[in-house]
CSV table of all heavy atoms in Angstrom, one decimal:
chain,number,residue,atom,x,y,z
E,295,CYS,N,76.9,-5.8,14.9
E,295,CYS,CA,75.5,-5.7,14.4
E,295,CYS,C,75.5,-5.1,13.0
E,295,CYS,O,74.6,-5.5,12.1
E,295,CYS,CB,74.6,-4.8,15.3
E,295,CYS,SG,75.2,-3.1,15.4
E,296,LEU,N,76.4,-4.2,12.6
E,296,LEU,CA,76.4,-3.6,11.3
E,296,LEU,C,76.7,-4.7,10.2
E,296,LEU,O,76.1,-4.7,9.2
E,296,LEU,CB,77.3,-2.4,11.2
E,296,LEU,CG,76.8,-1.1,11.9
E,296,LEU,CD1,77.8,0.0,11.7
E,296,LEU,CD2,75.4,-0.7,11.3
E,297,SER,N,77.7,-5.5,10.5
E,297,SER,CA,78.0,-6.5,9.5
E,297,SER,C,76.9,-7.5,9.3
E,297,SER,O,76.6,-8.0,8.2
E,297,SER,CB,79.3,-7.2,9.7
E,297,SER,OG,79.4,-7.6,11.1
E,298,MET,N,76.2,-7.9,10.5
E,298,MET,CA,75.1,-8.8,10.3
E,298,MET,C,74.0,-8.1,9.5
E,298,MET,O,73.4,-8.7,8.6
E,298,MET,CB,74.5,-9.0,11.7
E,298,MET,CG,75.3,-10.1,12.5
E,298,MET,SD,74.3,-10.7,13.9
E,298,MET,CE,74.7,-9.5,15.2
E,299,LEU,N,73.8,-6.8,9.8
E,299,LEU,CA,72.7,-6.1,9.1
E,299,LEU,C,73.0,-6.0,7.6
E,299,LEU,O,72.2,-6.2,6.7
E,299,LEU,CB,72.6,-4.7,9.7
E,299,LEU,CG,71.3,-4.0,9.7
E,299,LEU,CD1,70.3,-4.7,10.4
E,299,LEU,CD2,71.5,-2.6,10.3
E,300,ASN,N,74.3,-5.8,7.3
E,300,ASN,CA,74.7,-5.7,5.9
E,300,ASN,C,74.5,-7.1,5.2
E,300,ASN,O,74.1,-7.1,4.0
E,300,ASN,CB,76.2,-5.4,5.8
E,300,ASN,CG,76.4,-3.9,6.0
E,300,ASN,OD1,75.5,-3.1,5.7
E,300,ASN,ND2,77.6,-3.5,6.5
E,301,ALA,N,74.8,-8.1,5.9
E,301,ALA,CA,74.7,-9.5,5.3
E,301,ALA,C,73.2,-9.7,4.9
E,301,ALA,O,72.8,-10.2,3.8
E,301,ALA,CB,75.2,-10.5,6.2
E,302,VAL,N,72.3,-9.4,5.9
E,302,VAL,CA,70.9,-9.6,5.7
E,302,VAL,C,70.4,-8.7,4.5
E,302,VAL,O,69.6,-9.1,3.7
E,302,VAL,CB,70.1,-9.3,7.0
E,302,VAL,CG1,68.6,-9.4,6.7
E,302,VAL,CG2,70.5,-10.3,8.0
E,303,GLU,N,70.9,-7.5,4.5
E,303,GLU,CA,70.5,-6.5,3.5
E,303,GLU,C,70.9,-7.1,2.1
E,303,GLU,O,70.1,-7.0,1.2
E,303,GLU,CB,71.2,-5.2,3.7
E,303,GLU,CG,70.7,-4.1,2.8
E,303,GLU,CD,71.5,-2.8,2.9
E,303,GLU,OE1,72.2,-2.6,4.0
E,303,GLU,OE2,71.6,-2.1,1.9
E,304,GLU,N,72.1,-7.6,2.1
E,304,GLU,CA,72.6,-8.2,0.8
E,304,GLU,C,71.7,-9.3,0.3
E,304,GLU,O,71.4,-9.3,-0.9
E,304,GLU,CB,74.1,-8.7,1.1
E,304,GLU,CG,74.8,-9.2,-0.1
E,304,GLU,CD,74.8,-8.3,-1.3
E,304,GLU,OE1,74.9,-7.0,-1.0
E,304,GLU,OE2,74.7,-8.7,-2.4
E,305,THR,N,71.3,-10.2,1.2
E,305,THR,CA,70.5,-11.3,0.8
E,305,THR,C,69.2,-10.8,0.2
E,305,THR,O,68.7,-11.2,-0.8
E,305,THR,CB,70.1,-12.2,2.1
E,305,THR,OG1,71.4,-12.5,2.7
E,305,THR,CG2,69.4,-13.5,1.7
E,306,ILE,N,68.6,-9.8,0.9
E,306,ILE,CA,67.3,-9.3,0.5
E,306,ILE,C,67.4,-8.6,-0.9
E,306,ILE,O,66.5,-8.7,-1.7
E,306,ILE,CB,66.6,-8.4,1.6
E,306,ILE,CG1,66.4,-9.3,2.8
E,306,ILE,CG2,65.3,-7.9,1.1
E,306,ILE,CD1,65.8,-8.5,4.0
E,307,CYS,N,68.5,-7.9,-1.0
E,307,CYS,CA,68.8,-7.3,-2.3
E,307,CYS,C,68.8,-8.3,-3.5
E,307,CYS,O,68.2,-8.1,-4.5
E,307,CYS,CB,70.1,-6.6,-2.3
E,307,CYS,SG,70.1,-5.0,-1.6
E,308,ARG,N,69.4,-9.4,-3.2
E,308,ARG,CA,69.5,-10.5,-4.2
E,308,ARG,C,68.1,-11.0,-4.4
E,308,ARG,O,67.7,-11.3,-5.6
E,308,ARG,CB,70.4,-11.6,-3.8
E,308,ARG,CG,71.8,-11.3,-4.3
E,308,ARG,CD,72.8,-12.5,-4.2
E,308,ARG,NE,73.4,-12.5,-2.8
E,308,ARG,CZ,73.4,-13.5,-2.0
E,308,ARG,NH1,72.9,-14.7,-2.4
E,308,ARG,NH2,74.0,-13.4,-0.8
E,309,GLN,N,67.3,-11.2,-3.4
E,309,GLN,CA,65.9,-11.7,-3.6
E,309,GLN,C,65.1,-10.7,-4.4
E,309,GLN,O,64.3,-11.1,-5.2
E,309,GLN,CB,65.3,-12.0,-2.2
E,309,GLN,CG,65.9,-13.2,-1.5
E,309,GLN,CD,65.6,-13.2,0.0
E,309,GLN,OE1,65.4,-12.2,0.7
E,309,GLN,NE2,65.6,-14.4,0.6
E,310,LEU,N,65.4,-9.5,-4.1
E,310,LEU,CA,64.6,-8.5,-4.9
E,310,LEU,C,65.0,-8.5,-6.3
E,310,LEU,O,64.1,-8.5,-7.2
E,310,LEU,CB,64.9,-7.1,-4.3
E,310,LEU,CG,64.3,-5.9,-5.0
E,310,LEU,CD1,62.8,-5.9,-4.9
E,310,LEU,CD2,64.8,-4.6,-4.4
E,311,ARG,N,66.3,-8.6,-6.6
E,311,ARG,CA,66.7,-8.7,-8.0
E,311,ARG,C,66.1,-9.9,-8.7
E,311,ARG,O,65.6,-9.9,-9.8
E,311,ARG,CB,68.3,-8.8,-8.0
E,311,ARG,CG,68.9,-7.4,-8.1
E,311,ARG,CD,70.4,-7.5,-8.6
E,311,ARG,NE,71.2,-8.4,-7.8
E,311,ARG,CZ,71.9,-8.0,-6.7
E,311,ARG,NH1,71.9,-6.8,-6.4
E,311,ARG,NH2,72.6,-8.9,-6.0
E,312,ALA,N,66.2,-11.0,-7.9
E,312,ALA,CA,65.7,-12.3,-8.5
E,312,ALA,C,64.2,-12.2,-8.9
E,312,ALA,O,63.8,-12.6,-9.9
E,312,ALA,CB,65.9,-13.4,-7.5
E,313,CYS,N,63.4,-11.6,-8.0
E,313,CYS,CA,62.0,-11.6,-8.3
E,313,CYS,C,61.6,-10.6,-9.4
E,313,CYS,O,60.6,-10.7,-10.0
E,313,CYS,CB,61.2,-11.3,-7.0
E,313,CYS,SG,61.1,-9.6,-6.5
E,314,LYS,N,62.5,-9.6,-9.6
E,314,LYS,CA,62.2,-8.6,-10.6
E,314,LYS,C,62.6,-9.1,-12.0
E,314,LYS,O,62.1,-8.7,-13.0
E,314,LYS,CB,63.0,-7.3,-10.3
E,314,LYS,CG,62.4,-6.5,-9.2
E,314,LYS,CD,62.9,-5.1,-9.1
E,314,LYS,CE,62.4,-4.3,-10.2
E,314,LYS,NZ,62.9,-2.9,-10.0
E,315,SER,N,63.5,-10.1,-12.0
E,315,SER,CA,63.8,-10.7,-13.3
E,315,SER,C,63.8,-12.2,-13.2
E,315,SER,O,64.8,-12.9,-13.1
E,315,SER,CB,65.2,-10.2,-13.8
E,315,SER,OG,66.1,-10.3,-12.7
E,316,PRO,N,62.6,-12.7,-13.2
E,316,PRO,CA,62.4,-14.2,-13.0
E,316,PRO,C,63.1,-15.0,-14.1
E,316,PRO,O,63.6,-16.0,-13.8
E,316,PRO,CB,60.9,-14.3,-13.1
E,316,PRO,CG,60.3,-13.1,-13.7
E,316,PRO,CD,61.3,-12.0,-13.5
E,317,LEU,N,63.2,-14.4,-15.3
E,317,LEU,CA,63.8,-15.1,-16.4
E,317,LEU,C,65.3,-15.4,-16.1
E,317,LEU,O,65.8,-16.5,-16.2
E,317,LEU,CB,63.7,-14.4,-17.7
E,317,LEU,CG,62.3,-14.3,-18.3
E,317,LEU,CD1,62.2,-13.4,-19.5
E,317,LEU,CD2,61.7,-15.7,-18.5
E,318,LEU,N,65.9,-14.3,-15.6
E,318,LEU,CA,67.3,-14.4,-15.3
E,318,LEU,C,67.5,-15.4,-14.2
E,318,LEU,O,68.4,-16.2,-14.3
E,318,LEU,CB,67.7,-13.0,-14.7
E,318,LEU,CG,69.1,-12.7,-14.8
E,318,LEU,CD1,69.5,-12.1,-16.2
E,318,LEU,CD2,69.5,-11.6,-13.7
E,319,LYS,N,66.5,-15.5,-13.3
E,319,LYS,CA,66.7,-16.4,-12.2
E,319,LYS,C,66.6,-17.9,-12.7
E,319,LYS,O,67.4,-18.7,-12.3
E,319,LYS,CB,65.5,-16.2,-11.2
E,319,LYS,CG,65.8,-17.0,-9.9
E,319,LYS,CD,64.5,-17.3,-9.2
E,319,LYS,CE,64.8,-18.5,-8.3
E,319,LYS,NZ,63.6,-19.1,-7.9
E,320,ASN,N,65.7,-18.1,-13.7
E,320,ASN,CA,65.6,-19.4,-14.2
E,320,ASN,C,66.9,-19.9,-14.9
E,320,ASN,O,67.3,-21.0,-14.8
E,320,ASN,CB,64.5,-19.4,-15.3
E,320,ASN,CG,63.1,-19.5,-14.6
E,320,ASN,OD1,63.1,-19.8,-13.4
E,320,ASN,ND2,62.1,-19.3,-15.4
E,321,ARG,N,67.6,-18.9,-15.5
E,321,ARG,CA,68.8,-19.3,-16.2
E,321,ARG,C,69.9,-19.4,-15.2
E,321,ARG,O,70.6,-20.5,-15.2
E,321,ARG,CB,69.2,-18.2,-17.2
E,321,ARG,CG,68.8,-18.6,-18.6
E,321,ARG,CD,69.2,-17.6,-19.6
E,321,ARG,NE,68.3,-16.5,-19.8
E,321,ARG,CZ,68.7,-15.2,-19.8
E,321,ARG,NH1,70.0,-14.9,-19.8
E,321,ARG,NH2,67.8,-14.3,-19.9
E,322,ALA,N,70.1,-18.4,-14.3
E,322,ALA,CA,71.2,-18.5,-13.4
E,322,ALA,C,70.9,-19.6,-12.3
E,322,ALA,O,69.9,-19.5,-11.6
E,322,ALA,CB,71.5,-17.2,-12.7
E,323,PRO,N,71.7,-20.5,-12.1
E,323,PRO,CA,71.5,-21.5,-11.1
E,323,PRO,C,71.9,-21.0,-9.7
E,323,PRO,O,72.1,-21.8,-8.8
E,323,PRO,CB,72.3,-22.7,-11.6
E,323,PRO,CG,73.4,-22.1,-12.4
E,323,PRO,CD,73.0,-20.7,-12.8
E,324,GLU,N,72.1,-19.7,-9.6
E,324,GLU,CA,72.7,-19.2,-8.4
E,324,GLU,C,71.8,-19.5,-7.2
E,324,GLU,O,72.2,-19.5,-6.1
E,324,GLU,CB,72.8,-17.6,-8.5
E,324,GLU,CG,73.6,-17.0,-7.5
E,324,GLU,CD,73.4,-15.5,-7.4
E,324,GLU,OE1,72.7,-15.0,-8.3
E,324,GLU,OE2,73.9,-14.9,-6.5
E,325,ASP,N,70.5,-19.9,-7.5
E,325,ASP,CA,69.7,-20.4,-6.5
E,325,ASP,C,69.4,-19.5,-5.4
E,325,ASP,O,69.8,-19.6,-4.2
E,325,ASP,CB,70.3,-21.7,-5.9
E,325,ASP,CG,69.2,-22.6,-5.3
E,325,ASP,OD1,68.0,-22.4,-5.7
E,325,ASP,OD2,69.5,-23.3,-4.4
E,326,VAL,N,68.7,-18.4,-5.7
E,326,VAL,CA,68.2,-17.5,-4.7
E,326,VAL,C,66.9,-17.9,-4.2
E,326,VAL,O,65.9,-17.9,-4.9
E,326,VAL,CB,68.2,-16.0,-5.2
E,326,VAL,CG1,67.8,-15.1,-4.1
E,326,VAL,CG2,69.5,-15.7,-5.8
Side-chain angles (χ1 to χ4, degrees):
Chain E
C295 65
L296 283 182
S297 49
M298 282 196 273
L299 210 57
N300 281 332
V302 173
E303 184 189 340
E304 182 54 36
T305 311
I306 299 176
C307 276
R308 267 191 276 131
Q309 289 165 329
L310 178 63
R311 272 199 303 272
C313 78
K314 287 191 73 179
S315 45
L317 292 177
L318 204 81
K319 191 208 159 196
N320 283 347
R321 258 183 279 136
E324 195 196 351
D325 202 24
V326 182

